[in-house]
Amino acid sequence: MTLFRLFAVFLLMPVAAAAQDWQRISDEDVFLDLVSDQRLTHLLYNIDIAVSPSGAITGDAMGWDVTGEWTWQDGYFCRSLDWGGDDLGYNCQLVEARGDEVRFTVDQGAGRAASLRLR
């Protein structure tokens, strides 16, 4: 193996390992243990929200208030959300965790994903 190939393999290994270590959260109690007393944040988009055990979602994103409600259904985080007066509707999302990150993927994992940090 040439030095170049060895170096390329070394560079790609952490990326491949990182892509594989997301753990699906399919249990509501596990989800609550993960997010209780934490804020879900994204510094680039100025997102700072809390998901309460009582079913409330509160916070702000990009300067606008975020409010909503959530339930756990069939292994998915299902929420209705209002962002700055815009109704973002109801959606059930796949939840995955990796370290201090939580990733939500809309449409039960079939759509776009957003990764937020726990703080």
Side-chain angles (χ1 to χ4, degrees):
M1 184 178 285
T2 68
L3 183 59
F4 175 75
R5 284 188 182 175
L6 183 61
F7 184 68
V9 169
F10 177 73
L11 284 177
L12 293 175
M13 283 174 48
V15 173
Q20 296 173 10
D21 63 358
W22 285 100
Q23 298 295 311
R24 177 166 183 196
I25 307 296
S26 57
D27 182 80
E28 181 178 6
D29 290 333
V30 173
F31 175 74
L32 286 172
D33 286 344
L34 185 65
V35 301
S36 289
D37 301 320
Q38 299 282 331
R39 306 291 295 180
L40 292 162
T41 65
H42 193 291
L43 298 178
L44 181 63
Y45 294 109
N46 196 24
I47 297 171
D48 184 350
I49 59 173
V51 177
S52 78
S54 67
I57 300 171
T58 58
D60 60 80
M62 299 176 65
W64 291 300
D65 288 339
V66 173
T67 58
E69 297 177 349
W70 71 275
T71 60
W72 199 263
Q73 295 177 2
D74 300 322
Y76 295 96
F77 173 82
C78 299
R79 58 86 179 138
S80 58
L81 208 58
D82 181 276
W83 175 48
D86 290 332
D87 182 3
L88 299 184
Y90 180 82
N91 192 273
C92 291
Q93 304 177 356
L94 171 74
V95 179
E96 299 168 290
R98 176 178 70 186
D100 68 346
E101 291 179 275
V102 179
R103 181 167 63 189
F104 296 86
T105 306
V106 300
D107 302 330
Q108 295 181 327
R112 296 180 127 187
S115 179
L116 302 169
R117 292 228 182 257
L118 292 166
R119 304 259 187 231

